[in-house]
Amino acid sequence: MVSYTAIVWTLIAGIATGLGAIPIYFKKEFSKKSLDVGLGFSAGVMLVASFLSLIIPSVSEAKEVYTYNVGLPLILISLFTGYLFIIFIHDILPHEHLIKHTDMKHRKKMSRVALIVLAISLHNFPEGLAVGVGFGSGDEGNGIALALAIALQNMPEGLVVAFGLLSEGASKHKAFAMALLSGLVEPVAAAIGFISSSVTHYSLPIALSFAGGTMLFVICQEMLPELFREGHEKHATLGVIVGVMSMLAIDYYF
């Protein structure tokens, strides 16, 4: 059964993208260096979370429920399947990146603003999936740690998305609304993740490693290319290190 805590933290993670966009009402622009620090922070948090809260626990759970010869191949296949799944979604869904050119050709006639919102929604789906799997594992502390990590890394992303939409001619109200709505895909994905991991204890290692594979795709395909494209490597790397430290602290206390 879904707990009240799981619902609250899942919603917090989902609306954090909108919360991160609030500064657009008080400041006209932020330097690209500061935005890269924020994105680096997001990447660092996600990188550590994908291992500490998903992949490593999947290995531990597999040792408990599967035989030695079955467990490892199963979680490795599940991780790779998660990667392939998000690639499939990534390739069929029209989207546009904020900085780099689009890495796919789409025939649908959509505005760049709509394509950017679709891109960030695609980005947020694996994060919501991970939160749902975290709570579905029955370890509430792990679920809270994942939800808190996702919420923290969503906030700088929300700011970047909002400014990107402003640069495309969107109003402040529309930029904020789109940033908020793009994060609300996470509770939906979380429900899918929760169900997939809680049906039976045999499904938990599979769901954990699957979610880990989807998050690794987002980090490598969606975040790192954006992060180091503008030549602010030192600032971006500082953000990554702070993100890694933050997630280690979250995992330590939860």
Side-chain angles (χ1 to χ4, degrees):
M1 181 180 292
V2 182
S3 69
Y4 175 78
T5 301
I7 294 173
V8 170
W9 277 100
T10 300
L11 290 175
I12 289 173
I15 66 174
T17 306
L19 295 177
I22 291 177
I24 65 173
Y25 289 104
F26 306 101
K27 192 170 182 178
K28 292 183 178 180
E29 62 180 20
F30 285 80
S31 69
K32 187 61 179 66
K33 288 182 180 179
S34 62
L35 292 176
D36 279 346
V37 172
L39 280 178
F41 174 83
S42 297
V45 168
M46 283 188 67
L47 182 61
V48 177
S50 64
F51 282 93
L52 289 184
S53 298
L54 294 171
I55 297 173
I56 293 175
S58 75
V59 175
S60 299
E61 290 292 334
K63 289 180 179 179
E64 295 292 329
V65 299
Y66 293 108
T67 63
Y68 180 80
N69 293 329
V70 173
L72 181 60
L74 190 60
I75 61 175
L76 292 179
I77 292 172
S78 299
L79 188 150
F80 191 66
T81 302
Y83 162 77
L84 292 178
F85 170 77
I86 204 65
I87 281 184
F88 173 73
I89 301 298
H90 180 271
D91 286 344
I92 65 173
L93 182 66
H95 63 281
E96 192 84 31
H97 295 277
L98 286 169
I99 301 173
K100 69 178 181 177
H101 295 298
T102 182
D103 53 2
M104 65 170 291
K105 294 181 179 179
H106 51 81
R107 296 180 180 178
K108 296 182 180 179
K109 294 182 179 180
M110 303 176 70
S111 69
R112 179 167 159 80
V113 170
L115 291 171
I116 290 173
V117 173
L118 281 172
I120 201 66
S121 298
L122 171 64
H123 178 131
N124 286 338
F125 183 85
E127 298 171 9
L129 186 69
V131 172
V133 170
F135 280 109
S137 69
D139 184 347
E140 195 167 81
N142 186 48
I144 293 174
L146 264 171
L148 179 57
I150 296 302
L152 287 175
Q153 66 92 31
N154 271 347
M155 294 179 73
E157 286 183 9
L159 181 61
V160 172
V161 169
F163 274 110
L165 295 174
L166 287 177
S167 69
E168 294 297 322
S171 67
K172 288 184 178 181
H173 294 312
K174 184 175 182 179
F176 170 78
M178 291 299 99
L180 176 62
L181 288 174
S182 68
L184 293 182
V185 69
E186 292 192 5
V188 177
I192 297 173
F194 182 87
I195 293 170
S196 67
S197 61
S198 59
V199 171
T200 171
H201 64 287
Y202 289 104
S203 69
L204 180 56
I206 297 173
L208 286 167
S209 55
F210 182 92
T214 63
M215 282 186 66
L216 287 177
F217 173 87
V218 170
I219 296 166
C220 296
Q221 173 73 16
E222 300 291 322
M223 301 186 75
L224 295 182
E226 301 274 4
L227 192 59
F228 298 110
R229 186 165 294 273
E230 296 295 304
H232 304 141
E233 289 86 357
K234 291 182 179 179
H235 294 82
T237 303
L238 172 63
V240 172
I241 296 300
V242 174
V244 168
M245 294 169 61
S246 300
M247 186 57 211
L248 287 174
I250 291 171
D251 185 75
Y252 183 85
Y253 285 109
F254 288 96

